Amino acid sequence: MTDCIFCKIISGEIPTKILSETIHSISFLDAFPLAKGHVLVIPKNHYQKIQDMDKDENADLFSLVHAMTSKVDSMTGATLMAIHNGKDAGQEVPHVHVHLVPRSMGDSAGPIHDMFGPASKLSESELDRLFDKLKI
Ligand code: 5GP
Ligand code: ZN
């Protein structure tokens, strides 16, 4: 995609510190890191959402995530792994990317529940409805 920053990184138009490359994926340093060692892992082909990718590309992406996680985790001993899968999920660059962010005690980012308001308790019938809707 011509307008996509990450496609420009893949084509070499935007100079980037590329850390590793596989057949379908690359990893590189985030230009505006949330912590020292913030890494992004992306597919070479442009897809907005994980479910748009084919199985081989998806497996290749998560294999590289697995390899990079050991490296990133060695920075502080704990890693936040995050995917904003679509614009309304907070995705700013519309090209699939996995964030690997070193975490540490007192970094003030907190647990995932801090991103949302208080969690609501669902009734048994609501849980049953969701179960029927989401099970594969
Ligand atoms: P999002 O907000 O879509 O989940 O994450 C996009 C990420 O891309 C952000 O962490 C941002 O810092 C990073 N980013 C944006 N532009 C560039 C760029 O030109 N180069 C690199 N290396 N990272 C970028
Ligand atoms: Zn792209």
Side-chain angles (χ1 to χ4, degrees):
M1 240 202 21
T2 48
D3 276 356
C4 173
I5 291 169
F6 290 171
C7 285
K8 286 182 179 163
I9 285 175
I10 288 152
S11 69
E13 278 176 75
I14 297 179
T16 304
K17 295 226 178 294
I18 294 179
L19 298 163
S20 53
E21 177 171 4
T22 59
I23 301 174
H24 297 300
S25 317
I26 61 166
S27 67
F28 55 94
L29 291 177
D30 195 293
F32 309 97
L34 296 169
K36 286 179 188 168
H38 183 171
V39 165
L40 298 174
V41 189
I42 69 172
K44 290 179 182 173
N45 286 328
H46 182 95
Y47 301 102
Q48 182 169 15
K49 292 185 170 185
I50 287 284
Q51 63 270 36
D52 301 335
M53 299 171 65
D54 76 28
K55 283 190 173 172
D56 284 348
E57 288 172 297
N58 184 63
D60 184 88
L61 180 77
F62 281 97
S63 172
L64 187 53
V65 166
H66 183 264
M68 286 310 303
T69 298
S70 303
K71 296 292 282 185
V72 173
D73 207 79
S74 70
M75 300 287 294
T76 61
T79 309
L80 170 72
M81 305 168 72
I83 302 171
H84 296 277
N85 203 41
K87 192 170 189 295
D88 291 346
Q91 186 184 43
E92 294 179 301
V93 178
H95 182 131
V96 167
H97 50 285
V98 182
H99 291 268
L100 303 179
V101 186
R103 291 288 312 267
S104 46
M105 189 88 85
D107 65 9
S108 80
I112 190 170
H113 279 246
D114 284 2
M115 288 176 68
F116 297 81
S120 51
K121 180 98 179 84
L122 299 180
S123 67
E124 210 52 46
S125 62
E126 280 172 310
L127 285 172
D128 285 343
R129 205 169 47 77
L130 287 169
F131 179 81
D132 288 340
K133 198 170 175 180
L134 293 174
K135 75 180 175 199
I136 295 178

